[in-house]
């Protein structure tokens, strides 16, 4: 049994130990208080490793290739950001760099560290700090925003040149799905259970 306050309506209540795949609901507002995934840490770890690979591929292979009147060009995410910066779009370049590279990269790294550290409990208290940072940075990793920007650019360019999607583009798509899947499958309560209390030190 564990006493928790409902994050939605603040009702204090006892949550019983859940069976794998079980769910606990707040009796007042119906908000889901706790779920117990069948595999609360190993599955997100597998997804995070896959996301790390997709992230590396997305940033090292060309996002798209262009060909017009016999000339060919291709660009990576970093190349695109650099080009935006040179064209005088510094603010857009910074936003894209943050949402497409820094935030998702940091999220993957933080989650990887947390998920590996909690495999051998008790994990040190700083792991909890990293978990908090992960939650803070997650809303900022908006690969979707970049996809939208790319599509707009593609429509414009398609009138002038032949555009073909590069491997990086598929990796970005995979990364988008994986980041969401990590968030859905990870159980922060399960992770917190394996982290040493701050007062123990
Ligand atoms: Zn409630």
């Amino acid at each position: 049994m564990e006493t928790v306050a409902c994050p939605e309506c603040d009702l204090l209540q006892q949550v019983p130990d859940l069976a794998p795949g079980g769910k606990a609901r707040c009796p007042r507002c119906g908000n889901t208080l706790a779920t117990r995934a069948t595999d609360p840490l190993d599955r997100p770890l597998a997804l995070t490793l896959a996301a790390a690979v997709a992230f590396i591929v997305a940033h090292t292979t060309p996002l798209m290739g262009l060909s017009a009147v016999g000339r060919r060009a291709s660009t990576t995410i970093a190349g695109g950001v650099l080009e935006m910066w040179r064209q005088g779009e510094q603010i857009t370049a910074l936003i894209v760099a943050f949402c497409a590279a820094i935030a998702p990269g940091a999220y993957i790294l933080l989650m990887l560290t947390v998920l590996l550290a909690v495999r051998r409990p008790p994990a040190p208290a700083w792991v909890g700090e990293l978990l908090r940072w992960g939650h803070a940075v997650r809303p900022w990793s908006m690969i979707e925003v970049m996809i939208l920007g790319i599509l707009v650019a593609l429509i414009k360019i398609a009138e002038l040149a032949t555009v073909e999607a590069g491997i990086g583009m598929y990796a970005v798509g995979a990364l988008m799905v994986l980041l969401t899947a990590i968030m859905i499958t990870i159980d922060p309560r399960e992770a917190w259970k394996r982290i040493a209390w701050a007062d123990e030190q």
Side-chain angles (χ1 to χ4, degrees), residues 26-68:
C26 171
R28 178 154 72 186
C29 70
N31 181 41
T32 303
L33 286 177
T35 50
R36 184 155 163 220
T38 37
D39 198 356
L41 297 171
D42 284 344
R43 196 172 297 169
L45 178 60
L47 288 165
T48 309
L49 285 171
V53 173
F55 183 83
I56 293 168
V57 174
H59 282 272
T60 50
T61 57
L63 216 50
M64 55 187 180
L66 292 177
S67 53

Side-chain angles (χ1 to χ4, degrees), residues 79-137:
V81 168
L82 209 65
E83 194 52 37
M84 271 183 228
W85 183 274
R86 282 203 200 110
Q87 307 262 330
E89 304 277 351
Q90 276 91 354
I91 292 169
T92 320
L94 285 178
I95 293 171
V96 170
F98 189 74
C99 294
I102 299 166
Y107 181 72
I108 292 169
L109 212 61
L110 287 167
M111 286 301 135
L112 209 55
T113 314
V114 169
L115 289 168
L116 286 174
V118 297
R119 286 178 77 83
R120 251 180 284 150
W126 55 262
V127 173
E129 196 62 37
L130 296 188
L131 187 58
R132 258 198 295 269
W133 290 356
H135 287 310
V137 85

Side-chain angles (χ1 to χ4, degrees), residues 6 8-11 13 26-31 33:
C6 172
E8 201 62 44
C9 73
D10 220 23
L11 178 68
Q13 54 207 293
C26 171
R28 178 154 72 186
C29 70
N31 181 41
L33 286 177

